[in-house]
């Protein structure tokens, strides 16, 4: 009897052992692959950067569902400090991320970051703030995703040309020239200089004469643009016929300055196509803006990051200019072409 009991116990034990083993094998089979994406941005409170980050997160969620994969994203905000960003990069490398997505604080210091990533064999995607060519050439696993600044300048110029042809009275003093001020982005940023240069060039090449009253940086910021505009209003007052802005937030800042003193607005143009800018266009305050495609850029950054993290050949999956660059296109925002859904997506 005792033996029988022992035999029964042994059988139960063997059965349990088998079940637990087979469980383990099935678990192994269904293990979900994981990729880790490390992301650092120059300032998370920058409107356009915030749009890109939100869209990258969306892309990650979608890919997790579609590809049955776990995606961990570690997003860090350098708050305008390159020192802090360097520390973040050290941390992300230490944590063993599979790919680094970097929106540099200072575009001139990419080399150190590339060398660190190379030593750890982690590919790097820079975005929005473009490092110089020499830096990008330091290693073949370094990429840049952005948009051509000159193109946005040309399109901004195109908006002004359209405004002028619609209504010659925007030349308020009727001297045949457009007296203008420029609110510039951060000094040294590829999007600041080139946007201004190409906007002015496009307008003058269309036969409209331009007369520059003033120009200065407001660092992409609404508040700084408002302060600058207040100063210019004191000096130039009604002489200002056009306000060219390197981005929408600064255009909104210029509008704030006019609204505070209830002054009639001249032609104000911006770039980015943010939700607030589109609202200002709908209200007739902003003459126009150029869409800086945050959704597309986020899609490209994510797709490239995904292929790199999976160790796949990116050139087989995506078109890369000189094996390094991917550019999204700009376009003029046309209210009449927008659906309600588009507006909500922003
Ligand atoms: C530009 C954008 C600006 C600002 C800047 C930050 O492309 O138009 O609004 O976000 O990037 O680097
Ligand atoms: Ca004039």
């Amino acid at each position: 009897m005792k033996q029988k009991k022992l035999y029964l116990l042994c059988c139960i034990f063997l059965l349990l052992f088998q079940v637990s083993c087979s469980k383990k094998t099935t678990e192994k089979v269904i293990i979900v692959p994981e990729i880790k994406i490390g992301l650092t941005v120059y300032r998370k409170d920058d409107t356009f950067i915030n749009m890109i980050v939100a869209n990258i997160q969306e892309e990650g969620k979608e890919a997790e569902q579609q590809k049955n994969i776990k995606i961990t994203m570690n997003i860090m905000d350098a708050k305008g400090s390159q020192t802090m960003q360097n520390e973040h990069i050290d941390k992300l490398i230490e944590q063993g991320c599979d790919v680094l997505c970097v929106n540099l604080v200072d575009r001139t210091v990419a080399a150190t970051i590339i060398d660190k990533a190379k030593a750890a064999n982690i590919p790097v995607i820079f975005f929005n703030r473009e490092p110089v060519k020499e830096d990008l050439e330091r290693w073949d696993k370094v990429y840049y995703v952005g948009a051509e600044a000159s193109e946005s300048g040309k399109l901004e110029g195109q908006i002004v040309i359209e405004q002028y042809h619609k209504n010659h009275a925007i030349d308020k003093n009727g001297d045949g020239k457009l007296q203008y001020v420029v609110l510039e982005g951060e000094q040294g940023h590829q999007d600041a200089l080139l946007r201004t240069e190409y906007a002015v060039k496009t307008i003058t090449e269309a036969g409209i004469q331009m007369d520059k009253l003033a120009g200065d940086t407001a660092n992409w910021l609404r508040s700084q643009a408002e302060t600058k505009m207040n100063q210019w209003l004191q000096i130039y007052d009604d002489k200002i016929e056009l306000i060219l802005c390197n981005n929408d937030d600064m255009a909104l800042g210029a509008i704030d300055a006019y609204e505070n003193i209830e002054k009639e607005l001249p032609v104000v143009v911006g770039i980015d196509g943010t939700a607030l800018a589109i609202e200002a266009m709908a209200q007739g305050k902003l003459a126009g803006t150029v869409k800086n495609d945050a959704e597309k850029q986020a899609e490209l950054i994510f797709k490239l990051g995904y292929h790199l993290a999976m160790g796949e050949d990116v050139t087989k999956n995506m078109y890369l200019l000189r094996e390094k660059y991917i550019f999204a296109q700009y376009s003029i925002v046309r209210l009449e072409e927008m659906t309600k859904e588009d507006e909500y997506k922003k």
Side-chain angles (χ1 to χ4, degrees):
M1 194 60 188
K2 234 184 179 181
Q3 261 185 340
K4 226 182 181 182
K5 253 190 186 169
L6 201 69
Y7 174 75
L8 212 73
L9 266 171
C10 277
C11 283
I12 293 172
F13 177 76
L14 269 174
L15 205 76
L16 281 176
F17 181 71
Q18 261 184 345
V19 168
S20 85
C21 278
S22 63
K23 226 182 172 180
K24 264 190 196 143
T25 16
T26 36
E27 258 172 24
K28 251 187 206 154
V29 174
I30 54 158
I31 270 181
V32 182
E34 179 183 2
I35 58 171
K36 288 187 194 149
I37 301 179
L39 204 143
T40 157
V41 294
Y42 95 105
R43 281 181 77 130
K44 203 161 172 287
D45 62 1
D46 174 298
T47 311
F48 178 69
I49 295 302
N50 203 276
M51 285 159 74
I52 293 208
V53 171
N55 280 299
I56 294 179
Q57 284 175 307
E58 269 317 299
E59 290 286 332
K61 273 187 221 147
E62 262 173 45
E64 269 195 328
Q65 283 168 3
Q66 284 170 7
K67 300 184 197 284
N68 191 25
I69 184 172
K70 183 167 163 39
I71 297 170
T72 314
M73 266 188 221
N74 199 347
I75 299 169
M76 301 203 158
D77 179 4
K79 301 194 166 124
S81 154
Q82 188 57 57
T83 319
M84 198 193 273
Q85 184 162 64
N86 291 345
E87 285 165 16
H88 287 168
I89 284 168
D90 290 341
K91 221 178 256 168
L92 292 169
I93 293 177
E94 241 175 65
Q95 287 169 359
C97 66
D98 299 301
V99 61
L100 270 171
C101 302
V102 184
N103 173 230
L104 285 165
V105 176
D106 177 353
R107 318 167 40 219
T108 64
V109 303
T112 5
I113 294 165
I114 295 169
D115 293 349
K116 277 183 191 171
K118 189 177 173 185
N121 197 26
I122 301 172
V124 192
I125 303 170
F126 290 101
F127 64 98
N128 172 264
R129 300 160 78 91
E130 187 176 345
V132 291
K133 198 168 133 268
E134 291 69 29
D135 284 346
L136 288 180
E137 277 165 2
R138 286 177 91 85
W139 189 32
D140 58 353
K141 288 187 190 159
V142 180
Y143 306 87
Y144 178 72
V145 176
E148 294 272 21
S150 55
E151 193 190 332
S152 54
K154 284 182 200 165
L155 295 175
E156 190 177 40
Q158 189 58 42
I159 297 173
V160 176
I161 297 168
E162 286 172 18
Q163 292 287 320
Y164 184 75
H165 289 310
K166 234 194 293 173
N167 177 18
H168 277 33
I170 65 169
D171 170 15
K172 289 193 281 187
N173 64 357
D175 67 349
K177 293 179 193 164
L178 288 181
Q179 274 73 28
Y180 73 102
V181 294
V182 195
L183 283 164
E184 296 156 10
E186 252 172 296
Q187 302 222 315
H189 192 300
Q190 81 277 346
D191 288 342
L193 279 175
L194 291 173
R195 282 178 180 170
T196 308
E197 184 189 331
Y198 279 85
V200 174
K201 210 167 144 190
T202 307
I203 302 167
T204 47
E205 278 177 6
I208 303 166
Q209 288 190 59
M210 302 278 279
D211 182 9
K212 184 171 176 179
L213 301 175
D216 204 352
T217 180
N219 293 306
W220 308 119
L221 296 170
R222 184 169 180 160
S223 55
Q224 282 190 26
E226 183 185 345
T227 310
K228 202 66 300 153
M229 204 62 236
N230 282 333
Q231 289 166 7
W232 288 339
L233 270 166
Q234 303 268 329
I235 310 169
Y236 305 107
D237 198 28
D238 285 331
K239 287 203 184 89
I240 302 168
E241 297 171 343
L242 167 67
I243 308 176
L244 274 182
C245 307
N246 285 168
N247 81 343
D248 283 345
D249 273 2
M250 294 189 294
L252 294 171
I255 294 172
D256 292 340
Y258 277 78
E259 288 203 318
N260 287 343
I261 52 169
E262 292 176 17
K263 199 172 175 63
E264 197 190 326
L265 280 159
V267 174
V268 186
V269 281
I271 295 175
D272 276 343
T274 65
L276 288 181
I278 289 165
E279 199 180 303
M281 262 178 85
Q283 292 166 345
K285 297 174 185 171
L286 183 70
T289 183
V290 176
K291 181 175 173 173
N292 194 1
D293 201 336
E295 261 172 66
K296 187 73 199 171
Q297 288 178 47
E299 183 196 314
L300 294 168
I301 296 164
F302 181 79
K303 214 169 153 195
L304 182 59
Y306 172 81
H307 288 307
L308 290 167
M310 295 296 282
E312 295 166 0
D313 181 351
V314 288
T315 51
K316 278 206 185 119
N317 292 288
M318 299 178 83
Y319 173 71
L320 277 90
L321 198 69
R322 281 171 269 133
E323 292 178 358
K324 288 221 167 284
Y325 296 87
I326 308 186
F327 293 113
Q329 299 242 302
Y330 284 104
S331 57
I332 293 179
V333 172
R334 309 250 178 226
L335 285 184
E336 63 279 12
E337 287 168 11
M338 285 185 85
T339 60
K340 267 271 165 278
E341 201 194 328
D342 280 335
E343 275 178 62
Y344 294 140
K345 256 198 247 161
K346 293 272 153 43

